[in-house]
């Protein structure tokens, strides 16, 4: 029996060799495929974890942006109020001075100027901090990444972050003073000849604000109020900056490039449109017809049908800064912080500076 089996094997030896080779090849091929599949799965899992960690870091950074904006609004309000002091004029009016009309005229200009400056500067603060904190956030993500950052040579060490973020003081200082000057000139051109006794409707008030905006925004770009135009001035904005601190200068220059981009201009313009729209919504509450006049209440043009003497509008305008620069989330600030274009822009900035190949070193 064994001889017959052996003879069978000898007769079919080539088939057995071929079959063995095929089976062996299939086995090793299967092992190789399984290995590659495991590697692919591990790579995909690693990428998913990295992406999830990156997304979590980004969302945390946006919450920091929102909190930072809210924490800085009282300082902004204080800076505006110090430059455009309406309280002293109001106090003078209570003493019934001989030059009462002159003081009212000054109060008219100051009230409109400071409210418009509050809208402009709050919008600028929101978008500028979105740039700065997402630039820093992107670099911090890379610093915490095992593939790029290192504790020995971080891209954004704490001292650089502090010096870089201190550049926001330009908006609260020289930039704000320049903005006030431009806005005040436009307000005087629009309202100086309008009598305090003249009645104005909300529609007419909107037209005045539109004209003032056109004057303010038709000149040099609004970005000049955020960061100075030259590198030396940029360097001076960082408190305690030394000549050798190239990292801070690099961050400031990269920020200036972002501010000069068309995307930044578009987002800032969107915020300004929303900000002035919200301002008009706030003012509309004071132009609503009496509830007893049902015919006016339901008329399509009811808001334009109600008029108030400009003297009564001035205190209303003067008080709007309390809503605009409120450290508690008001409708005005929430409209800006939750704006979809602002969110998308922030994501693009973060993406740029958290991706290794995008570094401008």
């Amino acid at each position: 029996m064994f001889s017959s089996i052996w003879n069978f094997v000898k007769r079919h030896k080539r088939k057995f060799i071929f079959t063995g080779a095929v089976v062996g090849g299939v086995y090793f091929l299967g092992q190789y495929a399984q290995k590659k599949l495991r590697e692919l799965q591990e790579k995909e899992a690693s990428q998913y974890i990295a992406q999830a960690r990156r997304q979590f870091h980004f969302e945390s950074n946006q919450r920091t942006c929102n909190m930072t904006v809210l924490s800085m609004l009282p300082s902004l309000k204080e800076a505006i109020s110090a430059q455009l002091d309406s309280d002293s004029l109001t106090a003078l009016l209570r003493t019934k001075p001989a030059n009462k009309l002159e003081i009212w005229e000054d109060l008219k200009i100051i009230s409109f100027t400071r409210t418009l400056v509050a809208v402009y500067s709050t919008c600028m603060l929101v978008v500028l901090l979105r740039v700065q904190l997402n630039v820093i956030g992107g670099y911090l993500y890379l610093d915490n990444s095992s593939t790029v950052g290192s504790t020995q040579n971080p891209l954004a060490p704490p001292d650089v972050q502090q010096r870089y973020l201190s550049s926001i003081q330009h908006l609260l200082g020289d930039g704000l003073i320049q903005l006030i000057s431009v806005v005040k000139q436009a307000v005087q051109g629009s309202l100086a000849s309008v009598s305090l006794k003249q009645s104005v409707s909300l529609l007419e008030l909107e037209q005045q604000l539109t004209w003032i905006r056109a004057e303010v925004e038709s000149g040099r770009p609004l970005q000049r109020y955020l960061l100075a135009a030259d590198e030396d001035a940029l360097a001076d904005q960082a408190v305690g900056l030394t000549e050798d601190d190239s990292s801070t200068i690099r961050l400031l220059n990269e920020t200036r490039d972002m501010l000069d981009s068309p995307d930044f201009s578009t987002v800032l313009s969107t915020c300004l449109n929303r900000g002035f729209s919200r301002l008009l919504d706030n003012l509309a509450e004071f132009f609503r017809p009496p509830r007893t006049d049902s015919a006016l209440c339901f008329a399509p043009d009811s808001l334009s049908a109600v008029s108030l003497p400009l003297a009564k509008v001035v205190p209303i305008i003067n008080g709007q800064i309390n809503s605009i620069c409120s450290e508690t989330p008001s409708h005005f600030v929430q409209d800006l912080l939750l704006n979809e274009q602002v969110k998308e822009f922030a994501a693009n900035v973060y993406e740029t500076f958290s991706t290794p190949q995008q570094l401008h070193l």
Side-chain angles (χ1 to χ4, degrees):
M1 182 181 69
F2 288 106
S3 61
S4 62
I5 292 174
W6 175 247
N7 290 333
F8 176 81
V9 170
K10 285 196 296 183
R11 287 196 308 270
H12 298 86
K13 179 172 65 175
R14 291 184 179 179
K15 292 182 180 179
F16 278 110
I17 292 173
F18 176 76
T19 302
V22 170
V23 172
V26 170
Y27 173 78
F28 286 110
L29 184 61
Q31 291 292 100
Y32 177 79
Q34 288 181 358
K35 179 183 177 183
K36 288 298 181 182
L37 181 60
R38 282 196 301 270
E39 290 177 354
L40 180 61
Q41 290 173 336
E42 290 172 358
K43 182 179 179 181
E44 288 179 346
S46 177
Q47 290 176 341
Y48 176 81
I49 292 172
Q51 183 62 31
R53 184 165 60 88
R54 191 181 187 188
Q55 181 65 26
F56 177 81
H57 185 260
F58 169 74
E59 291 173 355
S60 175
N61 198 50
Q62 303 323 296
R63 290 192 291 271
T64 301
C65 286
N66 294 344
M67 295 303 296
T68 304
V69 169
L70 293 174
S71 69
M72 292 196 67
L73 286 176
S75 297
L76 179 61
K77 177 183 174 182
E78 183 180 348
I80 295 171
S81 299
Q83 295 293 328
L84 296 164
D85 182 14
S86 62
D87 291 341
S88 61
L89 296 177
T90 304
L92 273 176
L93 287 173
R94 293 195 189 102
T95 65
K96 299 181 180 180
N99 59 339
K100 181 179 178 180
L101 182 58
E102 181 182 344
I103 295 173
W104 263 105
E105 288 292 337
D106 289 342
L107 182 61
K108 175 180 69 175
I109 300 301
I110 286 179
S111 296
F112 274 88
T113 300
R114 82 172 194 160
T115 293
L116 269 61
V117 167
V119 174
Y120 275 111
S121 55
T122 300
C123 292
M124 291 173 183
L125 182 69
V126 167
V127 187
L128 177 58
L129 282 175
R130 272 295 186 275
V131 173
Q132 288 192 302
L133 291 178
N134 279 291
V135 168
I136 288 291
Y139 280 144
L140 285 177
Y141 175 81
L142 293 178
D143 284 340
N144 294 326
S145 170
S146 60
T147 58
V148 179
S150 66
T151 56
Q152 290 78 19
N153 188 29
L155 297 166
D159 59 331
V160 171
Q161 294 178 45
Q162 183 177 2
R163 291 169 180 169
Y164 166 64
L165 292 175
S166 70
S167 64
I168 196 73
Q169 294 301 319
H170 180 77
L171 177 58
L172 303 180
D174 293 342
L176 184 65
I177 292 173
Q178 295 168 12
L179 176 63
I180 288 173
S181 176
V182 172
V183 173
K184 188 175 183 180
Q185 184 177 356
V187 169
Q188 287 173 328
S190 175
L191 296 173
S193 60
V194 180
S195 170
L196 288 161
K197 296 179 181 180
Q198 181 175 330
S199 292
V200 293
S201 66
L202 184 64
L203 179 60
E204 291 169 332
L205 200 57
E206 181 181 7
Q207 292 170 344
Q208 292 285 355
L209 296 181
T210 300
W211 188 91
I212 293 170
R213 280 194 66 185
E215 286 295 301
V216 172
E217 298 170 32
S218 64
R220 293 169 58 191
L222 297 175
Q223 286 86 329
R224 62 178 169 147
Y225 306 118
L226 305 178
L227 287 179
D230 58 275
E231 293 184 10
D232 292 336
L234 282 176
D236 291 340
Q237 288 174 28
V239 177
L241 184 66
T242 65
E243 274 185 32
D244 297 330
D245 199 343
S246 58
S247 295
T248 308
I249 295 176
R250 170 173 53 81
L251 286 174
L252 290 169
N253 284 328
E254 287 172 340
T255 301
R256 184 176 58 180
D257 290 340
M258 294 298 298
L259 300 188
D260 289 338
S261 69
D263 286 344
F264 179 87
S265 298
T266 299
V267 172
L268 179 57
S269 179
T270 298
C271 285
L272 289 173
N273 290 339
R274 188 67 199 109
F276 278 101
S277 177
R278 173 56 68 178
L279 172 63
L280 286 167
D281 288 344
N282 292 347
L283 297 176
E285 296 300 320
F286 299 92
F287 283 84
R288 295 195 180 279
R291 293 188 178 182
T292 55
D293 197 339
S294 57
L296 279 177
C297 286
F298 294 101
D301 59 345
S302 58
L303 294 181
S304 61
V306 177
S307 297
L308 295 175
L310 188 57
K312 286 191 175 183
V313 175
V314 168
I316 297 171
I317 286 286
N318 190 50
Q320 290 301 307
I321 191 173
N322 298 317
S323 172
I324 297 168
C325 299
S326 173
E327 60 184 313
T328 56
S330 63
H331 290 301
F332 184 94
V333 177
Q334 284 181 332
D335 281 355
L336 302 179
L337 296 179
L338 302 180
N339 183 275
E340 288 301 323
Q341 277 192 270
V342 172
K343 291 182 179 179
E344 183 179 348
F345 178 66
N348 291 337
V349 174
Y350 184 86
E351 175 77 18
T352 298
F353 289 94
S354 63
T355 306
Q357 62 264 30
Q358 296 294 337
L359 292 177
H360 305 292
L361 300 176

